[in-house]
């Protein structure tokens, strides 16, 4: 991997990680369109450490409060009813599905799941799901002629059941094209949470999963066409760009619809099907031995 490739891929990772359009799919597609080798699941996992560092900094006050309350709740029973302490436990509970499936499906994640036809399918299907979830949320927020405004749930309403459902939604993002934020936010909206609550928990929930995955994959950074220098450079670029994107996105979702992302996902998925179907792109473009 050249330094130029690592710069572009780091930029793509930072731009797409927090948007509901799938960073892993865009890394895969960027390499395929440019005629580069697939950066691979290991590269993706490591560069996500950069964007997750942006989350740690952006939500540093929330995280510090949650971690502090959670540790105190281990010895102080009165703290176990504290919302922040409960959030600590809910992040742990919500991380179980992706931890189990990430280890179980490791070979599929690094192989068959990176097929461009599968990515096109998940882009379209999850785009439709996000569109439906967004429409239901909008209907609750604005009401209508024969409907009153419905109050949606906040993170104070989050329990173990919903936390696990969020976790299962996050685990779906092991398939490129699904999108971690897209799946968890869609799940949250369908369960009746506000856009901000769904996005905030989505980002907090991603922290242990992404950091653990990145640490696990660090051992592969020097193998194949992924090398330490370009990978670290891409991770730094992803952090800088990712911080700017997350700050923008958290403001965007308070007043705007997700429909632009829905339309983008569906159009990109259709384009990808056309390119593969007309043999402009191989479904395995960029993979070793292609």
């Amino acid at each position: 991997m050249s330094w130029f490739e690592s710069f572009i891929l780091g930029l793509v990772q930072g731009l797409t990680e927090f948007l509901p359009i799938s960073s892993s799919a865009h890394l895969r597609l960027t390499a395929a369109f440019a005629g580069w080798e697939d950066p691979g699941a290991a590269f993706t996992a490591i560069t996500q450490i950069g964007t997750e560092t942006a989350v740690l900094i952006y939500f540093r006050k929330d995280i510090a409060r949650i971690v502090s309350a959670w540790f105190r709740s281990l010895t102080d029973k009165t703290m176990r009813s504290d919302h922040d302490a409960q959030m600590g436990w809910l992040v742990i509970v919500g991380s179980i599905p992706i931890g189990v499936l990430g280890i179980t499906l490791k070979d599929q994640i690094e192989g068959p799941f990176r097929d461009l036809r599968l990515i096109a399918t998940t882009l379209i299907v999850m785009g439709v799901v996000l569109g439906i979830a967004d429409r239901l949320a909008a209907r609750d927020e604005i009401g209508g002629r024969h409907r009153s405004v419905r109050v949606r749930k906040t993170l104070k309403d989050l329990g173990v059941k919903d936390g696990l459902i969020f976790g299962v939604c996050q685990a779906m993002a092991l398939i490129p094209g699904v999108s971690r934020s897209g799946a968890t936010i869609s799940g949250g909206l369908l369960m009746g949470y506000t856009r901000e609550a769904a996005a905030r928990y989505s980002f907090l929930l991603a922290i242990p999963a992404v950091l653990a995955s990145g640490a696990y994959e660090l051992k592969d950074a020097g193998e194949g066409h992924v090398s330490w220098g370009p990978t670290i450079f891409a991770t730094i670029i992803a952090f800088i760009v990712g911080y700017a994107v997350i700050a923008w996105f958290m403001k965007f979702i308070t007043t705007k619809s997700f429909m632009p992302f829905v339309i983008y996902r569906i159009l990109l998925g259709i384009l990808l099907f056309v390119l593969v179907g007309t043999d402009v792109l191989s479904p395995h473009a960029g993979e070793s031995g292609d």
Side-chain angles (χ1 to χ4, degrees):
M1 177 182 293
S2 70
W3 290 98
F4 177 72
E5 288 178 42
S6 67
F7 172 77
I8 296 299
L9 294 173
L11 185 63
V12 170
Q13 168 64 26
L15 287 171
T16 59
E17 172 66 18
F18 303 117
L19 304 182
I21 56 176
S22 179
S23 61
S24 58
H26 279 74
L27 288 174
R28 176 79 177 90
L29 294 178
T30 298
F33 288 148
W36 301 336
E37 283 189 274
D38 179 1
F43 176 88
T44 300
I46 294 168
T47 55
Q48 284 178 336
I49 293 177
T51 44
E52 255 354 88
T53 301
V55 172
L56 290 172
I57 295 176
Y58 186 84
F59 290 111
R60 60 190 179 279
K61 293 181 180 178
D62 295 44
I63 294 170
R65 196 175 62 247
I66 290 170
V67 171
S68 174
W70 181 81
F71 272 111
R72 281 183 287 155
S73 74
L74 296 177
T75 55
D76 185 352
K77 292 183 178 180
T78 62
M79 284 295 299
R80 293 174 189 176
S81 60
D82 181 83
H83 173 65
D84 289 325
Q86 292 175 345
M87 277 297 296
W89 285 111
L90 289 170
V91 168
I92 294 172
V93 168
S95 300
I96 294 173
I98 197 170
V100 173
L101 291 176
I103 295 173
T104 305
L105 301 176
K106 185 177 186 300
D107 291 340
Q108 287 74 21
I109 294 168
E110 296 177 348
F113 284 0
R114 302 185 74 78
D115 187 303
L116 296 183
R117 292 165 297 190
L118 178 59
I119 291 175
T121 301
T122 53
L123 282 169
I124 294 172
V125 171
M126 286 306 301
V128 172
V129 172
L130 178 61
I132 293 172
D134 183 69
R135 179 59 184 163
L136 291 175
R139 187 175 65 179
D140 287 347
E141 291 165 357
I142 64 177
R145 186 175 179 180
H146 303 292
R147 297 188 308 272
S148 60
V149 174
R150 178 185 174 189
V151 177
R152 300 204 122 225
K153 293 188 284 188
T154 68
L155 289 184
K156 291 191 176 183
D157 300 304
L158 185 66
V160 173
K161 178 184 175 182
D162 286 357
L164 277 173
I165 294 174
F166 267 112
V168 171
C169 291
Q170 176 180 235
M172 292 171 60
L174 291 169
I175 305 173
V178 170
S179 169
R180 185 190 310 274
S181 64
T184 49
I185 289 173
S186 294
L189 294 179
L190 290 173
M191 286 189 288
Y193 287 87
T194 65
R195 301 170 196 272
E196 183 181 6
R200 187 173 290 268
Y201 185 61
S202 170
F203 295 150
L204 292 175
L205 188 60
I207 293 172
V210 170
L211 294 182
S213 175
Y216 180 79
E217 295 290 359
L218 279 173
K219 62 183 177 58
D220 295 330
E223 298 180 8
H225 59 277
V226 178
S227 55
W228 281 107
T231 301
I232 292 174
F233 179 56
T235 302
I236 294 172
I237 296 297
F239 160 71
I240 296 171
V241 176
Y243 187 86
V245 171
I246 192 174
W248 171 81
F249 186 63
M250 290 304 294
K251 293 179 181 178
F252 175 88
I253 60 174
T254 59
T255 58
K256 304 294 183 181
S257 163
F258 288 117
M259 288 311 294
F261 302 115
V262 172
I263 295 170
Y264 172 77
R265 289 181 64 105
I266 293 174
L267 291 178
L268 180 59
I270 292 172
L271 173 63
L272 193 51
F273 268 129
V274 170
L275 293 176
V276 172
T278 56
D279 293 326
V280 173
L281 276 179
S282 162
H284 307 288
E287 294 182 4
S288 298
D290 182 61

